[in-house]
Amino acid sequence: MEILKGLKYSKTHEWVKVDEGVAYVGISDFAQESLGDIVYVELPTVDSEVSKGDEVANIESVKAASPIFSPLSGTIVKVNEELEEEAELINHTPYDAYIFAIEMSNPSELDEMMDADAYEEYCETEASH
Amino acid sequence: MENLKRTPLYQCYSKYPGAKFIDFGGWELPVNFEAGIIGEHMAVRKVAGMFDVSHMGEIIVEGPDAESYLDYLVTNDVKGMEDYQVIYTLMCYPEGTVVDDLLIYKYNNKKYMLVVNASNVEKDYNWILKNKKGQVSIENISDRIAQIAFQGPKAEEILQKYVNFDLSSIKFFHFKDPVQINGIDCIVSRTGYTGEDGFEIYLTAEQSPRVWDYIYEKTKNDGVLPCGLGCRDTLRFEAKLPLYGHEISDKITPIEAGLKYFVKLDKQNFIGKDVLVNQVQQGVKRSLKGLEMIDKGIPRSEYKVYKDDKEIGFITTGSYSPMLDKNVALAMIDSNLKVGDEVYVEIHGKMKKAIIVKTPFYKNTKKE
């Protein structure tokens, strides 16, 4: 399982990467591995306002639908339309296949997220349950 | 996962690092192995796959009145069976709804083996005892028996290389007992739950790891994959094979589920007959139909289905279909709907368009 350094992670297994002030959100390798074959992603609507913890997208694996929660508050400014045709990109390259991007209204929320080391520890306790 | 039952083949799984486990009705079973659900699904459609289905239940019914008793207990024709034949049948409540679906293996008219769903073993055993008629003995041997399913269009060709009996002599829905695999006595039937040709192999729990390992080691270079319950579900779904608790249940009758073929209405008597005869004569208000999504989204079990803003039923099973590369579903809906009609499925709070399509979604044309 790969945990990319330099990203922030949530307890619901989303990652965040900030690039030029915009926060890109995807799911971790741990998350895609436990979901299995991903066949469809229901993307959020661009320009919608979201709060931290909101259910904003859905990832459908063969077995089940899994909600994706926004780890940050703000406005959705971009969605990864590539995933509409190739949802399996999340399985293949989870850290490249962002799902949506947010213009943050409260960047200090980033500080509440885990760094790679803390997230690795978190996954170990999750896996042992 | 705590307090879950494990099959006798669980000990073999340490050899498969990619195996992922789920709680399936109280059993810790692999949902998929390294190849993933889609990879395993395609292996079974193109070559062959092997499944541990030891969680299934086996009940032996024996005695001078076994034949007439079973004929009364289930919907299909037990009296018309030949020795070493297998039938698919349903066991109903007097209300016509379903206790379980099962296979019956006939040795002779005094000895039968019933194969029932894992999650229903206790319920079925109690039902069978409760409705006992005449001189029969009933024994639940589920804990002593393991089962391996070997399924796919090349199942016979591949397995034949490694067993010393003629597999082609076992006709569709027939079985042999005993036959030896790696020197171990097994029951082998030409049956399955994938919509493909293939075999189901029953043997004692203690000996089963040796047979699993033998078959896997011999056949892996032929492209055979170990398969989990994930693809077992998508495979049976594409072929429109019902799953208890979804297409059939204690709230759904076999007639509603499109299983009239397995209900022999001209039999003298069987449990549920009055209701089922009536349903066939009067017609049913709802029935099982296939849906194909036009809008994006995957319909799932229990999602609601609408027509002209009116709720008309619910999804029994829905999934991405690996063979069709489409999102499809089986739905228990208003029986007046026809192929080509547009309906809507509520997915995550939004109405998504679908059309009624023919079923099954997939049929192996080569199968008998």
Side-chain angles (χ1 to χ4, degrees), chain B residues 260-273:
Chain B
K260 182 167 162 270
Y261 177 79
F262 305 100
V263 181
K264 302 303 179 196
L265 297 168
D266 49 356
K267 277 204 298 185
Q268 201 183 3
N269 193 23
F270 62 91
I271 303 173
K273 182 178 176 183

Side-chain angles (χ1 to χ4, degrees), chain B residues 11-27:
Chain B
Q11 58 180 276
C12 302
Y13 297 148
S14 56
K15 285 195 277 296
Y16 309 98
K20 257 196 301 192
F21 294 86
I22 50 160
D23 173 356
F24 180 83
W27 292 84

